[in-house]
Amino acid sequence: MPTPGRRALPGSLRSSGGLGYGHIIAGKRRFPVHLGGSMASTVLVLNGPNLNLLGMREPDVYGTETLDEIQARVEARAGELGVTADFRQSNAEGDLIEWIQEAQGTADGIILNAAAFTHSSVAIADAVEAVGLPVIEVHLSNVFRRERFRHHSHLSRVARGVIVGLGGDGYVLAVEAMASILPRKG
Ligand code: CA2
């Protein structure tokens, strides 16, 4: 029986396997809940516009490694460190903002290469500030050796740290840094 005066949530409780984070679905909304138990930290790795073209064009600037190859290296290193990497790419600013917002309650930290949105998006910076998770900004190229408009990042002010100019290695270093920043679970 529900306590008088308190409305039971008209929703269902779902977990994505084992204990850890699940979510309550109430109507069209999802509310993340922690279900207890031990689990690995989750690091969301977000990639912005045109990074899906890596390895196919501009190898002199961005190297020959594809985004799939970087993903494989990130997942392998994350596995060694006992961290789960959730790797994504989108050409749409709104997707990146949605993913950053959703990370609250579902992830422990974010590695972010927002690509060209780095230099233009106050909205992504606001989302990073609002989510309150540690964010490491990564750029494949050394943006400071490039055009002046790439020298300014809206994200660096709200990022925990910034890694530039080391190609795909920068992502792996960011996973290592994130693993040492995040408290061990369990
Ligand atoms: O160096 C980085 O990682 C950048 O975030 C890459 C962005 C650029 O706008 C930033 O200033 C620095 C561009 C990503 C586009 O990637 C391409 C890959 C291959 C061919 C063309 C674009």
Side-chain angles (χ1 to χ4, degrees):
M1 279 284 282
T3 321
R6 273 201 186 175
R7 214 155 48 89
L9 262 181
S12 60
L13 183 59
R14 305 232 180 112
S15 145
S16 46
L19 292 175
Y21 286 105
H23 49 267
I24 290 173
I25 300 172
K28 287 188 175 168
R29 303 204 60 192
R30 282 160 33 124
F31 300 89
V33 286
H34 190 248
L35 304 174
S38 68
M39 59 179 295
S41 292
T42 297
V43 178
L44 196 53
V45 186
L46 299 184
N47 294 280
N50 299 310
L51 286 166
N52 52 314
L53 302 177
L54 277 184
M56 296 169 213
R57 297 195 201 129
E58 300 196 41
D60 45 322
V61 183
Y62 298 115
T64 53
E65 200 172 21
T66 65
L67 196 61
D68 283 351
E69 288 165 347
I70 293 174
Q71 177 173 357
R73 285 213 283 152
V74 161
E75 288 172 353
R77 188 66 185 121
E80 287 167 1
L81 294 167
V83 169
T84 302
D86 181 352
F87 199 99
R88 305 179 191 185
Q89 188 274 333
S90 176
N91 292 331
E93 186 177 16
D95 286 346
L96 297 168
I97 292 168
E98 293 288 346
W99 290 337
I100 291 166
Q101 289 184 7
E102 281 171 22
Q104 193 157 43
T106 61
D108 303 285
I110 302 173
I111 294 169
L112 176 60
N113 184 350
F117 291 143
T118 304
H119 317 298
S120 65
S121 180
V122 174
I124 293 178
D126 284 348
V128 165
E129 198 161 26
V131 78
L133 294 174
V135 172
I136 299 179
E137 177 183 350
V138 172
H139 298 288
L140 295 151
S141 62
N142 181 348
V143 285
F144 300 105
R145 296 181 68 169
R146 301 184 64 195
E147 304 95 317
R148 228 179 153 71
F149 70 86
R150 295 187 204 273
H151 297 187
H152 180 261
S153 163
H154 287 285
L155 308 178
S156 300
R157 190 184 63 79
V158 288
R160 177 70 71 94
V162 183
I163 299 173
V164 304
L166 301 176
D169 291 350
Y171 285 72
V172 176
L173 290 167
V175 170
E176 291 172 355
M178 195 60 87
S180 76
I181 287 169
L182 295 177
R184 286 195 80 79
K185 293 188 176 181

